[in-house]
Amino acid sequence: MNEKLLVAQYLKNLLPDMTEEDIAAMLEYPADKKMGDLALPCFKLSKVLRKAPVMIAQELCSGLENMEEAKNVFEKIESVNGYLNFFISKGNLVKDLENIEKDENYGSNDDGKGKTIVIDYSSPNIAKPFHIGHLRSTVIGQSIKNLHRFSGYECVGVNHLGDWGTQFGKLIVAYKKWGSKERIENGGIDALTEIYVKFHNEAENDPVLNDEARAAFTAMENGDEENLALWRWFVDISINEFKKTYALIGADFESWNGESFYFDKTDRVIKELREKNLLSVDDGAEIVRLDEYDMPPCLILKSDGSTIYATRDIAAAIYRKENYNFDKCIYVTSAGQSLHFAQFFKVIGMMGYEWSKDMVHVPFGTVSIEGAKLATRTGNVVLLEDIFRIATQKTLEIINQKNPDLENKEEVASAVGVGAVVFHDLSNNRIKDVNFMWDEVLNFDGNTGPYVQYTYARCCGVLEKSPMTLEIRPTSGYVLTEEAESALIKTLKLFPEKVRQARIDLEPSLVARYLLDVCAAFNRFYHDCPVLKCEDENVRRTRIALVKATSIVLKNGLTLIGLKTPKNI
Ligand code: ARG
């Protein structure tokens, strides 16, 4: 059991008016280990207890002295300057080690048992290239989904494709005028983007093109088979290309219902909004006013009667509630869309759906490459495909230098190269803007994905050479002799807590950064303590167990954030 909870349990006996949760929340992990492995800053209690912190710390300390159980877990409990410091005993660390190394699912929990989340992520737009900006939604969303799954939730990942709207009218007109079946079949999304860009350039001088595009989309909405067939073809081409990227980063979806899926489900929304008197007319368009909530109105129907992004999002939310009965519905998009989400969540609340409180927008910052902002209009679009290709190529060059005889070199290079890009994206708080600098991403000695993957492979290498396979190696009676061993166990022990916190905060970076701490603790241990060459059998067995436990944490952690875990690099 987590020490915070244990300590809270003990202290509860001495602080009967407080809950264990409140006590646990006050406990801290001191940065300086001289102050213990866990500390209670007693000033946090002085208001409630009306006593000086020093006094509280002393009283709690002597209270705990009489508790046999606490003495088994902690080798020392002291009161220093109003802090109550706890030092975990070696005996207890050994027990932790025994538990971790036997549990391949270590870190998981069942907080979400019986609960369902829907998570809407990635959601690229059809016929537009998948660029590095889309990577963020995909990797953050996939990781948030993995974290929920690891915590026992039923998860429905939805790829809410941008596959409906006036832009398809433009694409159809452009295709009929300048496209050819062959060009599109060979060129895929690139060829589609090319005619789309041409449309925009031409329409500047010839505004009639815009009318034609609107008419083409209206025809689609009215069931025009020819246009719909073209549209379906564009969608298929795009999805096929997206799937290649998803395979590289291990993204998978339970549903591919994009915006078009809600085309026949928006009438009901409009009717309902009208019946509930929420719609007002504004310049021919129909809107829901949100002045009361200090927000601009939410546009529902354009003056030409067509629905928009928000209308379809409201229909989608209702559909998801009715079909999946979610406990939470999460949307992962750039912070640029925050207002859109705040608006339509509010509209759903105004419609009387109490579950609007269960809708969560998870925003993230923008991406620049080598300091330059990405923008489709200025042509500074860097394709994910190119980035992954370059990362893989550079990784392969490094492998060829360092480990030329490695088996499956290409496969490993892809796992590590792609992993480097993904890890870099996830290693800072998601709301921060990401600046993608090649040197940083691929620095295999820095705080990068390759460094974590390499540390994992190093663990696997030791375990493979271990003279006794785990099945026959006795997994008890361990002895800890070096500080670096204890420090490593203390780091590994934090994993379940990090997983839980990352899920609650919807913040995969907590796991990514924690894995760097694990690597640092492991590499210090590996440097200070010979493993296979250690003479003393009990100490050797303990160290092998430490390597095994580390490998479990690294494997589970890397998998949670979507990185592959090659055993050999
Ligand atoms: N397709 C949108 C875009 O690329 C993101 C969709 C997010 N999901 C949603 N339900 N609105 O900007």
Side-chain angles (χ1 to χ4, degrees):
M1 191 181 195
N2 171 313
E3 269 81 31
K4 273 196 185 171
L5 299 178
L6 272 182
V7 167
Q9 253 176 33
Y10 305 149
L11 287 174
K12 164 87 184 142
N13 296 314
L14 307 170
L15 300 164
D17 293 339
M18 296 188 63
T19 67
E20 283 176 26
E21 289 75 39
D22 287 343
I23 302 173
M26 287 182 186
L27 293 164
E28 292 172 356
Y29 295 110
D32 178 0
K33 290 293 168 218
K34 285 197 208 82
M35 316 294 287
D37 298 305
L38 207 59
L40 179 72
C42 295
F43 68 85
K44 292 189 180 173
L45 287 166
S46 47
K47 228 186 183 156
V48 198
L49 300 180
R50 295 163 184 274
K51 271 187 208 161
V54 175
M55 214 84 138
I56 300 173
Q58 275 163 2
E59 283 178 14
L60 292 176
C61 193
S62 41
L64 289 170
E65 249 161 39
N66 305 320
M67 241 177 257
E68 271 317 306
E69 233 190 303
K71 280 203 233 156
N72 290 334
V73 178
F74 298 101
E75 64 189 15
K76 186 168 78 174
I77 302 174
E78 61 179 19
S79 102
V80 181
N81 299 332
Y83 278 75
L84 190 58
N85 299 336
F86 298 84
F87 296 81
I88 299 172
S89 74
K90 287 218 168 89
N92 203 50
L93 288 177
V94 161
K95 267 196 226 123
D96 284 315
L97 175 60
E98 288 168 7
N99 291 335
I100 300 172
E101 74 154 332
K102 279 184 214 138
D103 181 4
E104 297 288 341
N105 285 321
Y106 176 62
S108 65
N109 61 65
D110 55 10
D111 292 358
K113 215 166 150 202
K115 293 194 193 132
T116 299
I117 62 146
V118 170
I119 177 160
D120 175 323
Y121 67 107
S122 194
S123 309
N125 299 321
I126 295 298
K128 297 217 181 127
F130 203 115
H131 59 74
I132 190 162
H134 290 123
L135 176 69
R136 299 216 72 196
S137 174
T138 314
V139 297
I140 295 170
Q142 182 66 38
S143 181
I144 291 177
K145 187 168 91 180
N146 296 345
L147 283 162
H148 279 84
R149 220 178 246 154
F150 206 49
S151 304
Y153 285 82
E154 178 78 37
C155 299
V156 185
V158 184
N159 198 342
H160 188 80
L161 296 166
D163 60 358
W164 203 247
T166 40
Q167 70 271 32
F168 292 97
K170 295 179 186 170
L171 209 53
I172 286 169
V173 171
Y175 175 73
K176 286 184 180 164
K177 287 206 186 316
W178 311 296
S180 84
K181 189 159 193 262
E182 216 189 335
R183 282 261 296 279
I184 305 288
E185 244 153 31
N186 296 331
I189 294 179
D190 285 348
L192 289 173
T193 315
E194 204 178 284
I195 56 170
Y196 188 70
V197 170
K198 187 170 166 85
F199 178 93
H200 274 267
N201 292 341
E202 300 279 328
E204 278 191 12
N205 301 323
D206 184 5
V208 176
L209 281 174
N210 282 322
D211 298 334
E212 285 179 32
R214 252 190 302 275
F217 181 59
T218 309
M220 266 171 74
E221 290 206 300
N222 293 331
D224 180 293
E225 257 320 309
E226 190 194 343
N227 284 2
L228 282 172
L230 280 175
W231 163 78
R232 237 172 261 127
W233 181 46
F234 300 152
V235 171
D236 288 345
I237 289 175
S238 303
I239 289 184
N240 279 341
E241 283 191 38
F242 296 156
K243 280 191 172 162
K244 286 185 208 147
T245 305
Y246 292 142
L248 285 177
I249 51 182
D252 57 346
F253 299 92
E254 282 63 39
S255 159
W256 289 77
N257 288 339
E259 291 188 47
S260 65
F261 181 76
Y262 303 100
F263 167 60
D264 62 0
K265 298 173 182 60
T266 48
D267 280 352
R268 177 189 146 186
V269 171
I270 293 157
K271 190 161 161 255
E272 202 175 320
L273 285 168
R274 195 160 284 139
E275 279 166 7
K276 291 180 175 161
N277 268 330
L278 293 169
L279 286 182
S280 9
V281 178
D282 182 59
D283 219 0
E286 302 208 46
I287 59 173
V288 177
R289 288 198 192 284
L290 298 170
D291 313 56
E292 226 181 292
Y293 307 99
D294 277 335
M295 281 189 274
C298 182
L299 180 59
I300 301 288
L301 272 180
K302 289 206 269 193
S303 49
D304 64 4
S306 54
T307 60
I308 65 150
Y309 186 48
T311 331
R312 292 189 279 278
D313 253 331
I314 297 171
I318 294 173
Y319 175 86
R320 290 170 190 175
K321 184 65 192 178
E322 286 176 352
N323 283 273
Y324 307 119
N325 193 21
F326 58 73
D327 292 276
K328 213 191 260 180
C329 183
I330 299 169
Y331 297 81
V332 187
T333 77
S334 80
Q337 295 196 36
S338 295
L339 177 63
H340 162 74
F341 287 99
Q343 287 175 310
F344 93 78
F345 290 175
K346 185 52 85 186
V347 173
I348 288 176
M350 289 162 81
M351 291 169 87
Y353 293 117
E354 56 75 35
W355 48 264
S356 72
K357 66 173 188 346
D358 304 323
M359 321 254 294
V360 189
H361 178 224
V362 177
F364 54 79
T366 58
V367 188
S368 350
I369 295 197
E370 306 279 344
K373 272 227 182 314
L374 296 166
T376 328
R377 257 171 283 146
T378 58
N380 189 21
V381 189
V382 179
L383 298 186
L384 205 52
E385 219 181 294
D386 294 334
I387 292 202
F388 285 154
R389 195 175 31 73
I390 297 169
T392 302
Q393 183 56 38
K394 291 193 182 207
T395 308
L396 193 58
E397 282 161 22
I398 297 173
I399 294 177
N400 278 333
Q401 275 166 20
K402 293 196 173 169
N403 192 1
D405 301 328
L406 178 68
E407 273 178 50
N408 315 324
K409 265 196 274 191
E410 270 79 24
E411 205 180 303
V412 174
S414 161
V416 176
V418 171
V421 176
V422 171
F423 191 91
H424 178 265
D425 197 297
L426 289 178
S427 54
N428 285 310
N429 287 7
R430 58 178 154 75
I431 202 67
K432 280 203 187 160
D433 293 345
V434 174
N435 185 13
F436 191 95
M437 308 280 268
W438 274 115
D439 281 354
E440 226 174 78
V441 177
L442 289 175
N443 179 357
F444 287 22
D445 301 317
N447 283 333
T448 58
Y451 165 62
V452 182
Q453 284 171 317
Y454 182 71
T455 307
Y456 172 72
R458 184 176 251 186
C459 291
C460 293
V462 174
L463 294 173
E464 207 157 272
K465 285 193 222 107
S466 157
M468 282 193 274
T469 62
L470 287 168
E471 288 68 34
I472 59 164
R473 172 169 61 83
T475 55
S476 59
Y478 292 149
V479 277
L480 297 172
T481 54
E482 296 290 329
E483 176 48 36
E485 298 164 332
S486 300
L488 176 56
I489 303 178
K490 287 175 191 171
T491 307
L492 298 177
K493 274 167 64 103
L494 296 176
F495 186 46
E497 219 174 301
K498 295 283 177 183
V499 168
R500 181 171 280 122
Q501 201 59 48
R503 176 182 55 75
I504 293 172
D505 296 352
L506 303 162
E507 188 63 84
S509 62
L510 291 178
V511 174
R513 283 202 299 272
Y514 165 71
L515 292 179
L516 295 172
D517 294 344
V518 173
C519 291
F522 176 80
N523 287 320
R524 183 155 81 82
F525 152 78
Y526 198 66
H527 174 267
D528 290 1
C529 311
V531 180
L532 298 175
K533 291 206 178 87
C534 174
E535 306 262 301
D536 184 301
E537 186 183 328
N538 284 340
V539 177
R540 186 170 64 243
R541 279 194 307 116
T542 310
R543 293 183 180 168
I544 295 175
L546 269 162
V547 177
K548 173 70 186 167
T550 306
S551 77
I552 291 176
V553 171
L554 291 179
K555 183 172 176 99
N556 292 351
L558 284 168
T559 308
L560 281 172
I561 56 170
L563 269 74
K564 301 207 168 102
T565 50
K567 289 195 161 172
N568 236 319
I569 296 187

